Amino acid sequence: MADTPVAGDLEAPFRFEYDPATLRYAPDAVRSLGTELDEQGYDRALVVCGTTVGETPAVMDPVRDGLGDRLASVFAETTPAKRLGTAYDGLERFREADADCLVAVGGGSSLDVAKIISILAATDRDPTAVGTAFADSGTIAVPEAALPPIIAVPTTLAGADLSIVAGVTAAPDTCPVDEPASGGVSDPELMPAAACYDPELIATTPRSVLAASAMNGFDKGIETLYAANATPITDATASHGLDLLTEGLLAFGNGDDDPWVYQSVTQGLMLVQYGISRANGTTLSLIHALGHGLTRTDDVQQGAAHGIIAPHALSYLFEQVDGRRSLLADALGVGDADNPGTAVVDRVSEVVTTLGLPTQLRDVAGPDRAEFPEVADAVLEDAFMMNVPSGLEPTREDIVGVLESAW
């Protein structure tokens, strides 16, 4: 079966170009935020977060302490909708506070909004022009002027930190657009200047929220190993990251709150993201495309969609191509199994059930079976499908079959 180069294929050519954020890790890393800003050469930070995070002393107190007199203001108004209008409100706060950088605290929504604020701060276009162009094109132009830098401080396991993309939506009641619109921005300039990984901060997040976000980050590691553009560098970081995540998530799901659990999942999250978002593409692939298809018009939570669909997507993948199943089995701690493909699927299913996530599409607020052909079309058109393994040629019928198996 044709496939991506397996481990040990030393003749496979690759080019790895990556300009990542500075990575800072420690059980109390957030208390070094002021030091990091000093090393980056910035003085006044606007903290961007959601209302819940902004009202949680266990998160905000160490952030405030870490920034000290470099804290210019807090903008605690982001929502999962990631509204363009919210970013404009954040831009106003950024200017009022005379800030020169942004510290995004929370999950992917806060980081995405911070990225849009950064773009808006560097552009000379007025809100109406930006809103009109976004509604027409589904994206926002990144100006040539330098963007205010972002420091990412994750509190979930979604794994949006080392990324050059941002999602955004717009609604007439919050932004100058005539009708609702959604889209995204991708540019190397959107990579955060630094990312601060603090397991003690992640441990403050409610267990249900962490569990719901976990499959997003976990699946990034899985897909990085079988993606068409995998490299030995991303193989190494994703493999070790999956090892740490698997052990940590199983312990977490079984109720273990020992500090090593949060240290393991935090380091694993950091590693599976390394190198997946580069100027010439990403390693995200089939599972993420399916996740987009399931969540594009419905209220199903993204982590839940990933948890449900991942075992079925992998079963389909292994029926068609090798999918680097042996490498995946090693990374997931089941490398001694007689059938590595089955062992990988079973291991991923074990993580999902141990985290207490739903396992059937019928149990979540997603599309019903009659909509599966439409979902399949959206999946096949998703940009991440460019990264499926060589030899895998999914059809509409194939994708509907994966959705049916998950029903």
Side-chain angles (χ1 to χ4, degrees):
M1 290 176 287
D3 202 1
T4 53
V6 298
D9 184 353
L10 303 181
E11 294 182 354
F14 73 93
R15 183 175 185 273
F16 186 81
E17 181 184 0
Y18 184 42
D19 185 16
T22 296
L23 305 182
R24 181 182 285 269
Y25 168 87
D28 59 353
V30 73
R31 296 188 183 277
S32 300
L33 280 171
T35 302
E36 187 59 44
L37 258 66
D38 186 51
E39 293 182 4
Q40 296 280 344
Y42 296 98
D43 299 314
R44 294 180 57 78
L46 173 68
V47 171
V48 178
C49 61
T51 303
T52 301
V53 168
E55 295 176 350
T56 304
V59 177
M60 294 304 297
D61 286 353
V63 168
R64 292 177 185 276
D65 290 346
L67 287 171
D69 59 9
R70 288 181 172 79
L71 175 61
S73 186
V74 176
F75 177 72
E77 298 180 26
T78 67
T79 70
K82 298 183 283 191
R83 299 288 192 197
L84 178 57
T86 305
Y88 268 114
D89 292 340
L91 173 65
E92 183 177 354
R93 184 74 59 82
F94 181 82
R95 289 171 171 167
E96 288 175 351
D98 192 28
D100 60 0
C101 65
L102 301 123
V103 174
V105 181
S109 298
S110 293
L111 180 55
D112 281 6
V113 171
K115 289 177 178 178
I116 302 303
I117 294 173
S118 179
I119 293 171
L120 296 176
T123 187
D124 57 4
R125 304 178 72 189
D126 64 68
T128 300
V130 172
T132 300
F134 175 66
D136 290 341
S137 66
T139 192
I140 298 172
V142 177
E144 294 183 1
L147 273 60
I150 297 169
I151 312 296
V153 183
T155 61
T156 74
L157 304 175
D161 324 304
L162 304 184
S163 167
I164 61 173
V165 301
V168 62
T169 66
D173 59 334
T174 62
C175 188
V177 293
D178 295 329
E179 56 186 46
S182 62
V185 188
S186 178
D187 192 281
E189 293 300 314
L190 297 183
M191 177 65 73
C196 181
Y197 292 93
D198 187 335
E200 291 183 355
L201 202 69
I202 287 177
T204 67
T205 301
R207 294 182 65 87
S208 60
V209 175
L210 278 186
S213 69
M215 289 305 295
N216 283 14
F218 189 66
D219 286 346
K220 285 178 169 66
I222 290 172
E223 300 221 273
T224 293
L225 294 185
Y226 69 66
N229 56 348
T231 72
I233 297 167
T234 51
D235 285 352
T237 51
S239 292
H240 187 43
L242 281 173
D243 179 34
L244 290 167
L245 277 172
T246 301
E247 185 178 13
L249 291 177
L250 290 175
F252 174 82
N254 284 317
D256 193 338
D257 268 334
D258 194 84
W260 78 264
V261 174
Y262 297 98
Q263 293 163 15
S264 183
V265 297
T266 303
Q267 287 197 20
L269 177 72
M270 178 174 63
L271 287 168
V272 297
Q273 293 182 86
Y274 191 87
I276 72 170
S277 185
R278 310 191 295 271
N280 61 348
T282 177
T283 55
L284 303 187
S285 183
L286 177 65
I287 296 174
H288 279 78
L290 281 158
H292 284 172
L294 289 168
T295 60
R296 76 194 197 289
T297 59
D298 293 273
D299 291 333
V300 56
Q301 195 268 342
Q302 197 170 81
H306 274 241
I308 292 169
I309 209 67
H312 303 278
L314 289 167
S315 292
Y316 162 69
L317 180 74
F318 296 147
E319 289 172 2
Q320 304 296 317
V321 296
D322 177 78
R324 306 187 84 190
R325 62 189 72 189
S326 294
L327 185 59
L328 275 164
D330 286 340
L332 296 172
V334 290
D336 57 353
D338 292 335
N339 187 327
T342 299
V344 167
V345 173
D346 290 346
R347 189 64 148 177
V348 172
S349 297
E350 180 186 6
V351 171
V352 173
T353 55
T354 303
L355 288 173
L357 299 176
T359 59
Q360 296 178 313
L361 286 176
R362 69 185 67 191
D363 296 331
V364 298
D368 59 40
R369 295 175 72 184
E371 298 174 271
F372 284 175
E374 182 181 348
V375 173
D377 289 340
V379 171
L380 292 172
E381 293 171 2
D382 194 281
F384 291 157
M385 292 298 285
M386 295 179 61
N387 302 325
V388 299
S390 174
L392 185 69
E393 298 178 356
T395 65
R396 187 192 209 201
E397 183 180 16
D398 291 341
I399 300 301
V400 169
V402 172
L403 297 169
E404 287 284 357
S405 69
W407 179 252

